[in-house]
Amino acid sequence: MARFHELTVTDVRKTIRDAVVVSLAPENGADFDFIPGQYLTFRRDFDGTELRRSYSICAGRGDGLLQVGIKRVDGGAFSTWANEALEPGMVIEAMAPMGSFHTPIDPARARNYLGFAGGSGITPVLSILRTVLAEEPRSTFTLVYANKGVNTIMFREELEDLKNLHMGRLNVIHVLEADAQEIELFTGLVDQSKCAALFDHWIDIGSIDRAFICGPEPMMLGIAAALRDHGLSDEQIKFELFASSQPGRIARKPAASGDAGTAARATQATITMDGTARTFEMGKDVTILDAALENALDAPFACKAGVCSTCKCRVLEGEVEMVANHALEDYEVAQGYVLSCQSYPVTDRVVVDYDQ
């Protein structure tokens, strides 16, 4: 299930001081076709410790490139290595593209898209808007891009080039937290009130067919609230949590007080992966993902924080409690899908399938 493929680094280019754009080519002609908005999960060994990190593809579907943007995170081993040591000719490992932050592209449609991006959250949004502009010639895209200052704007030149190439179809609004701009509305944080002001003066929210949001969670929540206040439905709003805000390890769920006997009781788990079912006992204070890994199953995962959906699986029998979910849509949860890194068994027997 968690198959990794070798990719050759063909180019590493600085976009701002602390971020690189990495171009990749699959080894041995492997198929790495992607949907705009998806991400790649990389793995690398650092002094005996395997790290997995996910980075969004920033290239458009028709660009003929496989590219990701990697911004350095304070203390981030993988992002620091990528910014300081990664060079053309090196080979790195990645899973096939994954993620559900996208919408079907239809060349016959004339739609108005609205994107919000914060910092390196621009990467999946850039892939989507590039593809929309190239493949839906009657559609428009408005991007609200939040950064601390001018010198932290990733892909600034690329966005200007796209505006010139697709004249009148791409509108970019830069909102800068620290740098003052001629229009006061474009300075400060992008929050619910800022969005309401933008909708009153700059963006015809009533004409928007689909909105994409990728950035830090507080920003996303404020934007989503504003969009709903102005008439957009949940089906029209797509989320992707900004990768660097991933909290890392999640503490294991504590046993319920006063019910230690129940909490300690083992669950019989059956997990299907690559067409093969394995049954074993696991504790109710262990996640489905950790139990699978402890039993030598090659279960897929990346962030272990409920953000990336790499560990998505479906519960076919029994019940689990998913303690955090920043990746699955409501309809997916209703169909029984869970993030196995965040899911603890509740019933004495659970049956889980990673293949569906």
Side-chain angles (χ1 to χ4, degrees):
M1 169 63 69
R3 296 186 181 90
F4 283 82
H5 308 268
E6 291 188 335
L7 305 175
T8 299
V9 177
T10 59
D11 187 53
V12 181
R13 173 175 59 86
K14 284 282 185 185
T15 172
I16 56 175
R17 186 182 64 179
D18 290 330
V20 290
V21 179
V22 181
S23 299
L24 303 155
E27 292 280 285
N28 304 317
D31 183 11
F32 258 63
D33 190 21
F34 64 89
I35 299 171
Q38 288 189 312
Y39 59 86
L40 299 179
T41 297
F42 298 93
R43 74 175 177 186
R44 187 173 187 275
D45 186 272
F46 290 88
D47 297 326
T49 300
E50 180 186 296
L51 289 183
R52 299 186 182 192
R53 292 292 182 269
S54 299
Y55 296 97
S56 293
I57 297 168
C58 56
R61 183 167 57 188
D63 292 348
L65 289 171
L66 183 63
Q67 282 184 328
V68 296
I70 302 178
K71 187 174 184 179
R72 188 202 307 262
V73 177
D74 288 341
F78 194 99
S79 64
T80 298
W81 170 77
N83 273 267
E84 295 181 352
L86 198 59
E87 296 179 347
M90 297 174 69
V91 175
I92 56 178
E93 293 184 310
M95 291 186 199
M98 301 180 73
S100 57
F101 184 64
H102 54 75
T103 190
I105 301 295
D106 182 353
R109 299 288 297 273
R111 292 182 280 203
N112 297 320
Y113 296 92
L114 175 60
F116 289 89
S120 62
I122 185 63
T123 48
V125 178
L126 180 60
S127 178
I128 293 168
L129 77 83
R130 275 177 162 157
T131 306
V132 165
L133 293 173
E135 298 186 9
E136 278 189 2
R138 298 167 59 206
S139 294
T140 66
F141 204 110
T142 297
L143 171 67
V144 180
Y145 189 10
N147 283 281
K148 287 186 178 178
V150 172
N151 63 347
T152 64
I153 299 175
M154 293 177 66
F155 303 108
R156 186 181 177 194
E157 293 182 2
E158 286 87 344
L159 289 169
E160 288 302 313
D161 290 343
L162 286 168
K163 284 174 62 178
N164 294 330
L165 181 63
H166 301 281
M167 196 71 70
R169 297 179 55 215
L170 173 62
N171 178 31
V172 181
I173 299 172
H174 289 287
V175 179
L176 303 178
E177 180 180 346
D179 292 353
Q181 303 197 72
E182 290 185 8
I183 300 174
E184 186 178 351
L185 181 59
F186 297 164
T187 301
L189 297 174
V190 177
D191 53 17
Q192 188 171 353
S193 61
K194 178 79 72 180
C195 288
L198 289 170
F199 300 157
D200 285 342
H201 302 288
W202 291 92
I203 298 170
D204 179 11
I205 195 67
S207 71
I208 299 299
D209 297 287
R210 180 77 69 175
F212 299 92
I213 315 171
C214 184
E217 187 173 13
M219 184 189 97
M220 292 174 58
L221 295 176
I223 294 169
L227 291 171
R228 294 189 186 103
D229 287 346
H230 289 75
L232 265 68
S233 66
D234 288 344
E235 289 71 27
Q236 292 176 284
I237 305 170
K238 302 286 286 186
F239 297 91
E240 184 82 330
L241 190 59
F242 180 35
S244 71
S245 66
Q246 294 175 17
R249 294 180 185 276
I250 184 170
R252 287 191 172 186
K253 179 186 171 187
S257 61
D259 196 15
T262 300
R265 194 170 58 204
T267 292
Q268 184 186 61
T270 298
I271 295 180
T272 298
M273 194 175 299
D274 292 332
T276 301
R278 283 271 308 278
T279 299
F280 51 82
E281 287 195 346
M282 61 176 288
K284 289 181 178 176
D285 58 347
V286 179
T287 66
I288 297 294
L289 173 61
D290 283 338
L293 297 174
E294 289 169 3
N295 283 274
L297 290 172
D298 191 18
F301 72 93
C303 73
K304 278 196 169 185
V307 172
C308 70
S309 82
T310 306
C311 66
K312 173 182 171 183
C313 62
R314 191 172 192 180
V315 178
L316 302 180
E317 183 180 332
E319 184 180 350
V320 304
E321 180 184 7
M322 185 164 53
V323 297
N325 172 29
H326 301 290
L328 299 181
E329 303 278 0
D330 290 345
Y331 76 89
E332 293 176 296
V333 175
Q335 292 173 353
Y337 289 100
V338 298
L339 302 173
S340 60
C341 75
Q342 299 293 307
S343 297
Y344 297 82
V346 174
T347 52
D348 294 341
R349 172 172 165 74
V350 292
V351 178
V352 172
D353 192 341
Y354 276 89
D355 293 343
Q356 294 196 28

